[in-house]
Structures are given as structure tokens and as C-alpha cells.
Amino acid sequence: MMHAWLRLNGYPNLSPEVEEGICQVLAHMWLDSEIMAGSGSSSESTSSSSSSSASSSTSGSSKKGKRSQFERKLGEFFKHQIESDSSPAYGDGFRRGNEAVNKYGLRRTLDHIQLTGSFPY
């Protein structure tokens, strides 16, 4: 989905590291938000980067309801796979992109990629 968004929003042809990396960052963010949204409370997840649980009640007010333990573990597994990938495009790209997003924020990182075709340093 992120690949299509990049094309539809005027991003240039990007190197595999940048394109796959930023796509993996967004996939990781989505997994984090899904795990947190369905947890029912923010203390059930080990992640600290999502704020979506702040507005959900303890009854699990997510559209999809409370996540099962299996779904939470599966989400954590996929997050770990993204984080530990050893390939240059997906793994190194994720780590560079995640570092940029943590340092500059998602919007500024995307703006920089659109202007330069690379991650900000």
C-alpha cells in the first residue's frame, strides 16, 4: 500500500533501500498501532511508540475489538522480523528510515525523501 502511496504522491524512483525501508517503517508503525489498539490497555504491550491506546477504553473500544493473545504475539513476531531483517534493502533500509523518523518525525522524513530521494541524516 505504501508503494502505491509514494507513486500517487509524486515521489521519484527511489533506491531499494529508501523505498523498501520507508515502507517497512510504516508497516512496523501499523503493526504497533494494531497491537496497541486491540490490547485493551497500554500496559499489555511492550511498545512505547504508539499513542493510539490513550483514547481507547479498558473495554477494548477498537473497531476490531480486543486482540487475542495469538494476534498480539503474531504482531510482535512480524515487528521483530522487520527489526531483525538482515537484507540491505529491507533490513538496513528499515533501520535507516526508522532512525530518521525517530529523529525528524514522519512528515519531515517523507518531505526529505520526496526532495532528495534519500533519508535525512
Side-chain angles (χ1 to χ4, degrees):
M1 186 71 76
M2 186 64 183
H3 292 281
W5 186 91
L6 291 169
R7 293 300 166 273
L8 292 171
N9 285 279
Y11 284 73
N13 287 330
L14 301 170
S15 70
E17 181 186 34
V18 173
E19 182 160 342
E20 300 304 342
I22 197 65
C23 288
Q24 290 294 80
V25 169
L26 268 291
H28 190 272
M29 291 171 74
W30 180 82
L31 285 165
D32 199 36
S33 72
E34 286 295 300
I35 293 165
M36 291 299 290
S39 70
S41 77
S42 60
S43 63
E44 289 184 36
S45 175
T46 58
S47 175
S48 62
S49 64
S50 176
S51 62
S52 63
S53 65
S55 64
S56 79
S57 69
T58 56
S59 64
S61 63
S62 169
K63 287 182 187 177
K64 297 175 186 169
K66 189 172 179 179
R67 301 282 181 262
S68 68
Q69 182 177 3
F70 173 78
E71 289 171 313
R72 288 191 307 272
K73 286 189 178 289
L74 186 61
E76 291 294 342
F77 170 79
F78 284 128
K79 282 177 51 182
H80 176 74
Q81 290 297 108
I82 291 170
E83 294 162 1
S84 61
D85 193 311
S86 61
S87 71
Y90 291 89
D92 294 343
F94 166 74
R95 285 180 283 282
R96 288 195 58 220
N98 199 50
E99 184 179 339
V101 168
N102 287 335
K103 186 173 182 180
Y104 300 107
L106 180 58
R107 180 77 263 160
R108 287 180 63 197
T109 299
L110 288 170
D111 289 345
H112 185 87
I113 291 169
Q114 190 171 34
L115 288 172
T116 68
S118 64
F119 291 120
Y121 290 97

